[in-house]
């Protein structure tokens, strides 16, 4: 298991750029370099990760670890890939309430503007890929309008459920994927039991709910957690989200930051486990059924519609939460415009945007 842990730890320390970049790193490392699985095997596991809710790149890492070393390999892959950013975000969360004013306050304001730029970029990319036709564009607009009219966590869930029901009436053609056989059949039931145990802890429930409903990428966790955690100050919340862009590894470790900020080290542990557990449980339970699920046109249609609705959910969060929190004066608007231009017009990596935003905020805000 040390081989699996070491390989994923190296990626956890160096894989900047978000889920899409992570998938490229995984293919290079485990298909091309190490030969742990072939192109077809990799593609099948990736397809399932994209089909289900949850953190797609972490689910794919779990599947690679499971394929290589069974349940122990899956655990080693998760820990190696997640620990670096989870530890750093936990430390940031522990210090969030103790940060002094002055320069630190300006840096936090700059991080909020980084969150604005990064979410805008993610929203644009998701809209282009997940809403390719008029029907799905209208679905995204309807979801956004509903949440602008009545912003509430319960309505977010309702919008996603209605989109799934609508999509199921519009089946999509799909070829049956190959059947995958994995070692460690106990992983699914074990993770499902872990979800049930976590659900008994009130502190874990907001993170469980967010982890179970995230379609379309890790950025969607933002509106779900913001509505589920109204007690967290907007500045603390958005500063942590901006900081998460500078971390390698999964964006879901934003939950580590929030858990630490509201519940200390124990809160960070519970939040981290709770946000990953639903997606992992769904993935492990779906593995033996994938050949049938992937060939079901109604299921494909439902997921396509949900992904379109998620674009609307994120758009509503951008308009109601991120823009008002960041653009408080002319200087903030100028910094935001610069960061947006760099995010859309250059290939500047997220970590560079974070450094620039924090520095400009410290100097000017």
């Amino acid at each position: 298991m040390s081989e699996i842990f070491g390989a994923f730890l190296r990626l956890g320390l160096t894989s900047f750029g978000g889920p899409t970049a992570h998938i490229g790193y995984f293919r290079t490392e485990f298909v091309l370099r190490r030969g742990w699985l072939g192109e077809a095997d990799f593609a099948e596991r990736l397809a399932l990760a994209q089909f289900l809710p949850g953190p797609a790149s972490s689910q794919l890492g779990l599947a690679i670890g499971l394929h290589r070393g069974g349940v122990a390999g899956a655990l080693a892959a998760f820990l190696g890939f997640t620990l670096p950013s989870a530890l750093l975000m936990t430390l940031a969360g522990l210090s969030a309430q103790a940060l002094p004013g002055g320069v630190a306050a300006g840096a936090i304001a700059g991080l909020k503007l980084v969150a604005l730029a990064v979410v805008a970029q993610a929203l644009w990319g998701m809209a282009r890929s997940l809403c390719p036709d008029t029907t799905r564009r209208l679905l995204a607009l309807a979801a956004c309008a509903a949440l602008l009219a009545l912003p509430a966590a319960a309505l977010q869930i309702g919008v996603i459920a209605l989109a799934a029901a609508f999509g199921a009436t519009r089946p999509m053609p799909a070829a049956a994927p190959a059947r995958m056989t994995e070692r460690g059949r106990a992983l699914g039931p074990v993770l499902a039991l872990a979800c049930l145990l976590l659900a008994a802890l009130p502190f874990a429930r907001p993170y469980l709910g967010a982890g179970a409903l995230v379609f379309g990428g890790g950025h969607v966790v933002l509106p779900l957690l913001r509505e589920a955690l109204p007690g967290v100050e907007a500045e603390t919340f958005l500063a942590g989200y901006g900081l998460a862009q500078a971390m390698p590894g999964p964006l879901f470790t934003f939950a580590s930051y929030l858990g630490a900020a509201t519940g200390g080290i124990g809160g960070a542990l519970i939040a981290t486990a709770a946000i990953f557990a639903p997606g992992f449980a769904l993935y492990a339970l779906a593995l033996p059924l994938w050949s049938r699920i992937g060939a079901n046109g109604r299921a494909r249609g439902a997921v396509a519609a949900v992904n379109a609705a998620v674009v609307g959910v994120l758009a509503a969060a951008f308009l109601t939460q991120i823009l008002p929190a960041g653009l408080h004066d002319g200087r903030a608007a100028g910094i935001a415009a610069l960061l947006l231009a760099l995010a859309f017009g250059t290939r500047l990596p997220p970590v560079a945007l974070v450094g620039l935003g924090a520095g400009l905020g410290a100097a000017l805000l």
Side-chain angles (χ1 to χ4, degrees), residues 7-223:
F8 277 94
L9 178 63
R10 188 174 73 82
L11 290 173
L13 290 166
T14 60
S15 56
F16 294 92
T20 302
H22 298 163
I23 290 166
Y25 295 138
F26 285 176
R27 178 180 175 273
T28 299
E29 181 69 17
F30 302 118
V31 177
L32 302 181
R33 181 169 175 267
R34 294 178 181 265
W36 285 4
L37 67 173
E39 291 280 10
D41 294 325
F42 182 84
E44 285 299 328
R45 286 155 183 80
L46 174 59
L48 179 55
Q50 293 177 324
F51 183 88
L52 295 171
S57 60
S58 293
Q59 287 171 319
L60 179 60
L62 184 89
I64 294 170
L66 185 66
H67 176 77
R68 182 68 176 177
V71 174
L75 180 61
F78 167 69
L79 291 176
F81 188 55
T82 308
L83 270 178
S85 59
L87 289 173
L88 290 170
M89 291 300 289
T90 296
L91 290 173
L94 290 173
S95 62
Q97 303 300 330
L99 288 173
V103 172
I108 290 173
L111 288 175
K112 288 159 59 179
L113 298 176
V114 172
L116 185 155
V118 170
V119 174
Q121 186 183 37
L123 178 59
W124 177 250
M126 289 170 63
R128 294 182 64 184
S129 63
L130 300 179
C131 302
D133 52 54
T134 301
T135 299
R136 279 179 276 188
R137 292 185 194 116
L138 291 174
L139 193 58
L141 288 172
C144 181
L147 290 169
L148 289 176
L150 184 62
L155 186 59
Q156 289 179 14
I157 298 171
V159 163
I160 291 172
L162 286 173
F166 172 77
T169 68
R170 302 173 67 87
M172 299 178 66
R179 184 178 300 276
M180 294 184 289
T181 58
E182 304 287 6
R183 290 186 284 164
R185 294 290 189 184
L187 182 60
V190 167
L191 288 172
L193 178 60
C195 289
L196 291 174
L197 292 174
L198 285 167
L201 300 172
F203 188 88
R205 289 172 193 162
Y207 302 97
L208 283 168
L213 291 171
V214 173
F215 286 87
H219 295 284
V220 183
V221 82
L222 175 70

Side-chain angles (χ1 to χ4, degrees), residues 246-259:
M247 299 295 160
L251 186 59
F252 264 37
T253 56
F254 178 44
S256 308
Y257 168 89
L258 292 174

